[in-house]
């Protein structure tokens, strides 16, 4: 154990439990639009906790809210639905693409002419996806469709049209992939569900509608980037919602292992190296200090320091490392008042072996 972590453990023992207990009843209705946000079954998604997160956020005073671990985008979209200006980022490209389509995009829909362009036939187009993923994911018709559509999307002039089309494509592939993760190949998990029967093209047409439906303008200008949190230079952020991955007690928390196909798809694997020896044709995973015991505590310390001028709302779970008490001690180094909200929660997530469920306690640590 390093010095920082043993000092924190000592302080943590002194902390009395000041949890807002038991789970506060949720009596403030969630903004209606929020419920239309497409379900992505993203690992660690807070979608099912949105009513509670909304209740906590609603009691805080902020105009500009940041979400630098935006993931599926559902919390950032909630802040947009609450009428706030949103600044969001993620170190992966596909979450940033989803957030560009749904949060930064206030006006653009994919209408008939745009869809026609996207679906148009292509002569001698690229076939990277077909060449790389035949026998790995999807059938040849789906893979050819993806090659063609990706090529056409790159030709669209409007960046929001591109992001919307890619978002629709990302969700189509997620729906068509058993368990919603790209760690498994073949169709041994095919239980005859509609989602597995539809072609990627059929999904895509449905998903365009889904994403078109949730585009709206809240009168604010939002900003989305792909960025490692430690490369950000936060300015003018009243509140930051922090939902980093936590070091799990078992298994791993690697997003690239589960979603490498979507990450590649979001930019047609441009500039990415395919790890050819891997069965599912993965890409290398980027380093994040939140994934390892030896670096996690220091990463949280740096994170709180980075956002010391904003109200901090940290999502955390009882099955992560470090403990909630240790995080509370760290947060107190930068914030004079810290409240802890707690709620029981059951996670469902796909693994290569199936769907796992874990009963945990979710926390929201609010530092003012
Ligand atoms: C728990 S998920 C966020 C889930 C999100 N709040 C939701 O409800 O869908 C954590 C996210 O942090 C991102 N991430 C991990 N390390 C990061 C880093 N160093 N900088 C920025 N993003 C990072 C991952 O790509 C992942 O999308």
């Amino acid at each position: 154990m390093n010095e920082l972590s043993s000092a924190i453990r000592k302080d943590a023992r002194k902390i009395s439990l000041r949890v807002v207990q038991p789970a506060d009843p949720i009596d403030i209705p969630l903004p209606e639009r929020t419920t239309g946000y497409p379900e992505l079954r993203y690992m660690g998604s807070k979608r099912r906790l949105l009513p509670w997160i909304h209740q906590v956020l609603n009691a805080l005073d902020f105009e500009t809210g940041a979400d630098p671990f935006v993931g599926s985008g559902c919390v950032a979209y909630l802040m947009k639905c609450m009428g706030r200006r949103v600044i969001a980022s993620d170190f992966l490209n596909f979450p940033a693409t989803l957030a560009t389509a749904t949060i930064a995009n206030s006006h653009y829909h994919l209408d008939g002419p745009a869809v026609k362009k996207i679906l148009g036939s292509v002569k001698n187009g690229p076939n990277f996806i077909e060449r790389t993923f035949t026998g790995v994911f999807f059938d040849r018709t789906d893979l050819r469709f993806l090659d063609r559509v990706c090529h056409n999307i790159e030709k669209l002039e409007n960046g929001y049209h591109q992001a919307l089309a890619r978002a629709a494509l990302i969700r189509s592939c997620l729906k068509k992939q058993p368990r919603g993760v790209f760690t498994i190949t073949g169709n041994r998990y095919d239980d005859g569900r509609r989602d597995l029967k539809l072609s990627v093209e059929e999904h895509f047409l449905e998903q365009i509608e889904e994403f078109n439906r949730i585009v709206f303008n809240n009168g604010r200008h939002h900003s989305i980037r792909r960025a490692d949190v430690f490369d950000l230079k936060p300015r003018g952020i009243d509140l930051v919602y922090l939902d980093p991955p936590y070091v799990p007690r078992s298994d791993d928390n690697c997003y690239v292992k589960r979603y490498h196909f979507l990450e590649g798809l979001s930019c047609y694997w441009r500039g990415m190296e395919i790890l050819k020896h891997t069965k599912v044709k993965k890409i290398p995973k980027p380093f994040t200090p939140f994934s390892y015991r030896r670096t996690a505590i220091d990463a949280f310390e740096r994170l709180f320091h980075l956002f010391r001028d904003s109200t901090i709302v940290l999502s955390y779970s009882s099955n992560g490392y470090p403990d909630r008490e240790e995080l509370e001690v760290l947060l107190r180094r930068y914030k004079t008042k810290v409240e802890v909200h707690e709620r029981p929660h059951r996670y469902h997530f796909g693994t290569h072996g199936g769907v796992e469920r874990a009963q945990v306690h979710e926390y929201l640590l609010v530092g003012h």
Side-chain angles (χ1 to χ4, degrees):
M1 199 186 307
N2 64 27
E3 256 173 53
L4 177 62
S5 123
S6 59
I8 289 166
R9 277 179 189 280
K10 236 188 244 159
D11 282 357
R13 280 197 288 273
K14 292 185 207 145
I15 284 199
S16 56
L17 294 184
R18 270 158 288 91
V19 176
V20 180
Q21 283 256 49
D24 332 285
I26 295 174
D27 45 21
I28 300 172
L30 196 60
E32 212 183 299
R33 279 184 187 282
T34 316
T35 53
Y37 196 80
E39 168 66 81
L40 293 148
R41 292 196 288 164
Y42 194 69
M43 179 169 65
S45 167
K46 299 299 177 291
R47 192 187 159 93
R48 287 188 304 124
L49 292 165
L50 287 181
W52 176 56
I53 294 175
H54 172 241
Q55 172 138 320
V56 172
L57 293 183
N58 197 53
L60 301 169
D61 183 21
F62 70 107
E63 283 304 315
T64 299
D67 183 351
F69 302 93
V70 72
S72 71
C74 63
V75 178
Y77 190 75
L78 165 68
M79 291 198 272
K80 179 176 180 183
C81 294
M82 292 170 74
R84 303 314 203 272
R85 171 169 180 249
V86 179
I87 297 177
S89 49
D90 199 286
F91 78 161
L92 295 182
N93 193 54
F94 81 96
T97 304
L98 288 166
T100 302
T102 58
I103 297 154
N105 175 20
S106 298
H107 302 289
Y108 296 96
H109 297 84
L110 287 173
D111 54 9
V115 175
K116 211 168 150 196
K117 272 192 205 161
I118 295 169
L119 296 178
S121 60
V122 175
K123 265 201 192 135
N124 303 322
N127 64 356
F128 173 82
I129 300 182
E130 184 186 354
R131 273 191 287 114
T132 312
F133 294 102
T134 295
V136 182
F137 303 124
F138 310 132
D139 64 25
R140 210 175 268 272
T141 315
D142 286 335
L143 297 175
R144 285 185 179 152
F145 171 77
L146 289 172
D147 272 319
R148 185 176 97 229
V149 162
C150 285
H151 176 75
N152 289 334
I153 291 173
E154 284 183 356
K155 301 252 167 314
L156 296 174
E157 278 154 25
N158 180 312
Y160 290 117
H161 280 162
Q162 290 188 344
L164 259 186
R166 289 187 177 123
L169 215 49
I170 286 167
R171 188 158 188 248
S172 302
C173 292
L174 259 180
K175 282 182 148 287
K176 175 90 196 195
Q177 175 65 4
R179 313 270 185 233
V181 287
F182 293 84
T183 50
I184 45 174
T185 65
N187 50 10
R188 72 201 131 116
Y189 295 106
D190 188 345
D191 54 8
R193 247 175 312 148
R194 177 178 183 271
D195 275 355
L196 303 184
K197 281 197 192 128
L198 293 191
S199 66
V200 173
E201 179 164 2
E202 286 166 322
H203 274 297
F204 182 62
L205 294 173
E206 291 188 356
Q207 292 314 311
I208 287 177
E209 294 302 313
E210 292 277 312
F211 280 91
N212 271 344
R213 239 195 304 279
I214 63 156
V215 174
F216 78 106
N217 178 14
N218 79 349
R220 310 280 182 125
H221 178 75
H222 312 286
S223 130
I224 311 294
R225 298 175 53 185
R226 173 192 185 177
D228 189 292
V229 68
F230 295 115
D231 292 333
L232 299 175
K233 306 221 171 345
R235 297 245 187 298
I237 292 169
D238 305 320
L239 177 146
V240 64
Y241 170 74
L242 298 174
D243 188 16
Y246 49 78
V247 184
R249 307 267 167 188
S250 60
D251 201 4
D252 66 78
N253 65 1
C254 183
Y255 284 87
V256 166
K257 172 173 140 187
R258 288 164 180 82
Y259 304 120
H260 60 96
F261 188 84
L262 307 179
E263 183 66 359
L265 187 69
S266 69
C267 62
Y268 202 62
W269 285 264
R270 294 205 190 281
M272 287 179 183
E273 177 202 353
I274 291 269
L275 301 174
K276 294 212 176 81
H277 60 281
T278 58
K279 199 169 165 200
V280 290
K281 309 298 168 208
K282 280 195 290 195
I283 52 177
K285 65 172 178 184
F287 171 76
T288 182
F290 296 100
S291 289
Y292 308 96
R293 275 183 169 250
R294 69 191 151 74
T295 46
I297 291 184
D298 174 63
F300 276 103
E301 166 100 57
R302 287 193 289 138
L303 191 62
F304 296 156
H305 179 263
L306 187 65
F307 290 102
R308 62 193 178 282
D309 295 332
S310 313
T311 298
I312 293 179
V313 179
L314 173 75
S315 260
Y316 210 64
S317 165
S318 57
N319 62 349
Y321 169 87
D323 299 345
R324 191 214 70 206
E325 286 85 351
E326 290 179 77
L327 287 172
E328 202 180 329
V329 171
L330 272 184
L331 190 52
R332 279 178 190 285
R333 293 189 174 173
Y334 299 95
K335 298 290 168 188
T336 44
K337 192 175 150 211
V338 175
E339 295 158 17
V340 184
H341 301 258
E342 179 179 353
R343 224 173 167 78
H345 183 57
R346 189 173 280 276
Y347 271 107
H348 299 236
F349 50 89
T351 66
H352 49 270
V355 174
E356 286 189 4
R357 291 175 187 80
Q359 175 69 55
V360 296
H361 288 269
E362 279 295 314
Y363 303 112
L364 285 173
L365 274 68
V366 181
H368 304 265

